[in-house]
Amino acid sequence: MDRQKRVLVVDDEPSIVKLVQFNLEKEGFSVDSAYDGTTALQKIEQDPPDLVVLDWMLPKMDGLDVCRKLRQQLKRHLPILMLTAKSDEFDKVLGLELGADDYMTKPFSPRELVARVKAILRRMEAVEQQGETVEQQPIKVGNLHIDPVGYEVRKGEQEVDLTPKEFELLVYMAKNRGRVLSREQLLNAVWNYDFVGDSRIVDVHVSHLRDKIEEDSRNPVFIKTVRGIGYKFEGPKEK
């Protein structure tokens, strides 16, 4: 890494903060800490870090509310790795839906956490370096207009409100129009690592996308299910 990356660790357990801070600093990161959601938001607003490691259960303001406010207030995408003692799949999906880039359940491996942090930052750098290349040009399929640079999706004249992960998933599938994409491919491309046994996360995001971009989500025109494999992005058949 050319410049030292800055990470804010937010957790109300000092032992967790020290563990994460020690392992990240050992890998060359600059680490700051906060022990509640309100303080975390203040620190981020004053001097945004490169990434936030954010606990779900926090005093004053929980991690989900912090995540939601950051996505609403910040103009640029701030990567968030969420930590939680909750292992329920619904909670995991909810955290990702609100804009977390990744998710780890306590207890976690410090080595795995560092690997996840590096993977998220590598992906962010790759996106920033791409700039406005051919791959970033607007995509039009039927009445669906996708602008990867402007971060905007329109269905006809109506703007479609998508979460960050829904948007990334849609862009990736649209760029691979006509190709059958397995759930594992989509997990790796959009979340940048394997959610072992968690392919349901793809299904939930696809379901939400269909609700937003399809006229009839039960009879999709854009995102087709390929039974036993995954999905294929198509579009309305030309008359």
Side-chain angles (χ1 to χ4, degrees), residues 23-88:
N23 282 275
L24 287 173
E25 287 180 344
K26 194 167 65 171
E27 293 296 318
F29 292 94
S30 172
V31 182
D32 192 7
S33 59
Y35 296 90
D36 63 77
T38 303
T39 303
L41 269 183
Q42 291 170 348
K43 288 194 172 192
I44 293 167
E45 287 168 1
Q46 291 167 5
D47 190 12
D50 294 294
L51 180 142
V52 180
V53 177
L54 180 65
D55 186 39
W56 180 301
M57 302 299 290
L58 292 169
K60 297 185 180 179
M61 182 186 299
D62 69 32
L64 287 183
D65 282 337
V66 172
C67 191
R68 187 184 291 112
K69 285 183 179 295
L70 289 176
R71 292 299 178 242
Q72 291 171 348
Q73 295 173 8
L74 293 183
K75 292 182 179 179
R76 74 175 181 88
H77 181 75
L78 175 62
I80 296 172
L81 170 58
M82 189 161 274
L83 299 179
T84 180
K86 294 173 176 282
S87 59
D88 187 83

Side-chain angles (χ1 to χ4, degrees), residues 121-150:
L121 290 173
R122 275 198 307 270
R123 185 157 158 266
M124 286 295 296
E125 287 177 351
V127 169
E128 288 169 1
Q129 288 169 7
Q130 269 185 357
E132 231 176 305
T133 62
V134 173
E135 288 194 358
Q136 297 295 93
Q137 293 303 309
I139 302 165
K140 184 178 185 300
V141 183
N143 69 341
L144 198 66
H145 299 255
I146 307 167
D147 182 358
V149 176

Side-chain angles (χ1 to χ4, degrees), residues 36-229:
D36 63 77
T38 303
T39 303
L41 269 183
Q42 291 170 348
K43 288 194 172 192
I44 293 167
E45 287 168 1
Q46 291 167 5
D47 190 12
D50 294 294
L51 180 142
V52 180
V53 177
L54 180 65
D55 186 39
W56 180 301
M57 302 299 290
L58 292 169
K60 297 185 180 179
M61 182 186 299
D62 69 32
L64 287 183
D65 282 337
V66 172
C67 191
R68 187 184 291 112
K69 285 183 179 295
L70 289 176
R71 292 299 178 242
Q72 291 171 348
Q73 295 173 8
L74 293 183
K75 292 182 179 179
R76 74 175 181 88
H77 181 75
L78 175 62
I80 296 172
L81 170 58
M82 189 161 274
L83 299 179
T84 180
K86 294 173 176 282
S87 59
D88 187 83
E89 188 177 85
F90 172 79
D91 294 320
K92 182 179 295 188
V93 171
L94 179 60
L96 294 168
E97 275 298 296
L98 288 174
D101 293 84
D102 205 344
Y103 185 109
M104 293 189 74
T105 304
K106 297 176 181 176
F108 55 84
S109 157
R111 181 182 296 181
E112 175 69 10
L113 182 139
V114 171
R116 300 270 187 100
V117 167
K118 288 181 175 179
I120 294 170
L121 290 173
R122 275 198 307 270
R123 185 157 158 266
M124 286 295 296
E125 287 177 351
V127 169
E128 288 169 1
Q129 288 169 7
Q130 269 185 357
E132 231 176 305
T133 62
V134 173
E135 288 194 358
Q136 297 295 93
Q137 293 303 309
I139 302 165
K140 184 178 185 300
V141 183
N143 69 341
L144 198 66
H145 299 255
I146 307 167
D147 182 358
V149 176
Y151 207 83
E152 182 181 77
V153 175
R154 303 189 77 83
K155 186 168 70 172
E157 297 301 315
Q158 180 183 0
E159 187 169 352
V160 181
D161 185 26
L162 301 180
T163 66
K165 278 291 175 284
E166 288 169 355
F167 183 81
E168 288 181 55
L169 181 61
L170 178 62
V171 169
Y172 183 79
M173 295 183 78
K175 285 178 179 177
N176 289 278
R177 183 180 179 184
R179 288 181 57 195
V180 176
L181 301 168
S182 70
R183 290 173 176 81
E184 290 70 26
Q185 281 177 287
L186 293 170
L187 284 169
N188 192 52
V190 177
W191 284 269
N192 206 38
Y193 77 96
D194 291 330
F195 276 82
V196 179
D198 283 344
S199 62
R200 166 109 178 109
I201 287 176
V202 173
D203 297 335
V204 170
H205 279 71
V206 166
S207 175
H208 289 174
L209 269 178
R210 282 173 170 163
D211 288 340
K212 295 177 180 182
I213 69 172
E214 302 281 4
E215 294 298 329
D216 179 0
S217 60
R218 291 169 299 180
N219 297 289
V221 170
F222 295 104
I223 303 176
K224 299 290 185 70
T225 298
V226 180
R227 193 178 295 275
I229 302 175

